[in-house]
């Protein structure tokens, strides 16, 4: 605790006791009251008037209070920043809400369309195939040179549309190709036509190849497969179509069909031993 000091009008106090220990005095955190004495006057350190108390407070107990004008300015700036952020937050919330609403409407529309129309994928198969222009003779088999051929394929395709409320428009610019061991033998197109609902359409397409080079390896493999009566072929179809539901037509959709076919020979009377067609759609 601080010592009480009397004013200079009272009798002079006894001399202060000698300091016990400098470390003990420095560790004390309580304020001390001392009487201002009259040392020799100095311009840098003026002597306080009589009856004045000088209070010494440690630095760790000195608190600074900012001026009130700074506090008011800080509050004003805080209000401005909050008012600026509120319109941005509202715009973002409105955008997210509208996007969520649109997604919900699209999902509901798709669900209603599926329940009402009940769409089913069409089925495709190869019913017959006829080959000409591929002459593999015994002399060619013995030769190690490559062979150039110009094959022609007449392919009969069966398209089944099992949907009750969906019609299919087969558009131009389609492509049909036949491969053997990654070698394109011929190409052509699917005829343009409209297939109504619950309809089976059988159409023929003529595929031609010109100047197809068969390397010795491909030629010998083809000869061996034909001698065994099992020639594997791959038929690919890429056809742009439009779906019709009622009086509404869709945008152009690409139908992709890949058929693995095995025939006994590459002749006009070729017979199909096995066929497996895979169907896919490219919406955009």
């Amino acid at each position: 605790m601080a010592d009480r000091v009397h004013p200079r009008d009272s009798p002079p106090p006894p001399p202060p006791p000698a300091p016990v220990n400098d470390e003990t005095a420095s560790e004390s955190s309580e304020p001390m009251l001392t009487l201002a004495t009259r040392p020799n006057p100095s311009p840098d350190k003026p002597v306080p008037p009589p009856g004045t108390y000088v209070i010494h407070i440690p630095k760790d107990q000195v608190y600074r209070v900012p001026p009130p004008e700074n506090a008011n300015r800080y509050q004003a700036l805080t209000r401005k920043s909050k008012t600026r952020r509120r319109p941005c937050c509202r715009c973002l919330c409105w955008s997210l809400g509208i996007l969520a609403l649109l997604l919900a409407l699209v999902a509901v529309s798709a669900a209603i369309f599926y329940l009402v129309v009940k769409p089913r994928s069409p089925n495709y198969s190869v019913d017959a195939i006829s080959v000409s222009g591929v002459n593999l003779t015994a002399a060619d088999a013995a030769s190690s040179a490559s062979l150039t051929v110009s094959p022609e394929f007449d392919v009969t395709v069966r398209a089944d549309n099992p949907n009750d409320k969906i019609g299919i428009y087969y558009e131009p610019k389609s492509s049909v190709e036949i491969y053997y061991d990654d070698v394109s033998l011929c190409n052509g197109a699917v005829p343009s036509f409209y297939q109504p609902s619950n309809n089976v359409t059988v159409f023929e397409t003529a595929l031609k190849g010109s100047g197809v080079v068969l390397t010795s390896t491909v030629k010998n493999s083809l000869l061996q497969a034909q001698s065994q009566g099992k020639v594997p072929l791959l038929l690919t179809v890429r056809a742009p179509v439009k779906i019709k539901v009622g009086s509404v037509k869709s945008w152009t959709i690409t139908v992709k069909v890949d058929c693995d076919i095995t025939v006994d020979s590459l002749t006009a009377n070729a017979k199909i031993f096995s066929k497996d067609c895979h169907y896919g759609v490219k919406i955009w």
Side-chain angles (χ1 to χ4, degrees):
M1 297 296 292
D3 296 335
R4 185 179 297 275
V5 182
H6 298 280
R8 190 173 290 275
D9 297 338
S10 60
V20 179
N21 192 350
D22 294 341
E23 296 179 358
T24 306
S26 63
E27 292 177 357
S28 175
S29 61
E30 296 182 358
M32 298 180 62
L33 301 177
T34 58
L35 181 65
T37 58
R38 288 183 177 273
N40 295 329
S42 173
D44 297 336
K45 297 181 180 181
V47 179
T52 303
Y53 293 94
V54 179
I55 302 175
H56 295 276
I57 302 176
K59 291 183 178 180
D60 57 351
Q61 294 186 7
V62 176
Y63 303 97
R64 296 183 178 181
V65 180
E69 58 271 13
N70 291 349
N72 297 334
R73 183 181 179 186
Y74 172 76
Q75 292 179 0
L77 293 176
T78 305
R79 292 194 198 98
K80 289 182 180 180
S81 62
K82 289 182 178 179
T83 54
R84 289 175 184 174
R85 293 177 183 175
R86 286 175 183 173
C88 297
C89 294
R90 291 178 181 175
C91 182
L92 179 61
C93 292
W94 274 104
S95 302
L96 293 177
I98 293 173
L99 180 61
L101 180 60
L102 291 177
L103 292 177
L105 291 176
V106 170
V108 171
S109 301
I112 294 174
F113 175 81
Y114 184 82
L115 293 175
V116 173
V117 179
K118 296 181 181 179
R120 298 168 61 186
S121 61
N123 300 319
Y124 300 94
S125 64
V126 178
D127 287 352
I129 188 169
S130 177
V131 185
S132 62
V134 181
N135 298 321
L136 302 174
T137 63
D140 294 329
S143 175
S144 60
S146 60
L147 180 64
T148 302
V149 295
S150 297
E152 295 182 5
F153 285 70
D154 292 330
V155 182
T156 303
V157 179
R158 179 187 179 91
D160 181 13
N161 180 14
N163 294 281
D164 296 331
K165 300 178 181 180
I166 296 178
I168 303 175
Y169 285 94
Y170 288 87
E171 302 290 327
K173 298 182 180 180
S174 62
S175 64
V176 182
E177 290 188 74
I178 292 182
Y179 293 87
Y180 172 78
D181 195 16
D182 295 335
V183 177
S184 178
L185 299 178
C186 56
N187 57 73
V190 175
S192 301
F193 64 96
Y194 171 70
Q195 186 178 23
S197 58
N198 291 321
N199 175 264
V200 176
T201 301
V202 179
F203 60 89
E204 293 183 1
T205 176
L207 312 177
K208 295 183 180 181
S210 177
V212 179
V213 178
L214 303 178
T215 62
S216 59
T217 303
V218 174
K219 182 191 64 174
N220 294 332
S221 174
L222 187 58
L223 278 170
Q224 184 178 2
Q226 189 168 237
S227 64
Q228 295 176 355
K230 293 182 179 180
V231 181
L233 300 174
L234 173 63
L235 183 143
T236 63
V237 179
R238 301 294 182 267
V241 301
K242 288 185 178 180
I243 305 301
K244 180 182 178 183
V245 181
S247 59
V248 179
K249 284 186 182 180
S250 71
W251 59 93
T252 302
I253 300 172
T254 302
V255 173
K256 302 186 295 182
V257 181
D258 295 333
C259 294
D260 294 318
I261 308 169
T262 303
V263 297
D264 61 344
S265 62
L266 297 180
T267 61
N269 298 321
K271 294 181 180 180
I272 299 176
F273 279 144
S274 65
K275 52 187 176 181
D276 183 17
C277 293
H278 305 279
Y279 167 81
V281 174
K282 183 180 180 182
I283 298 178
W284 306 107

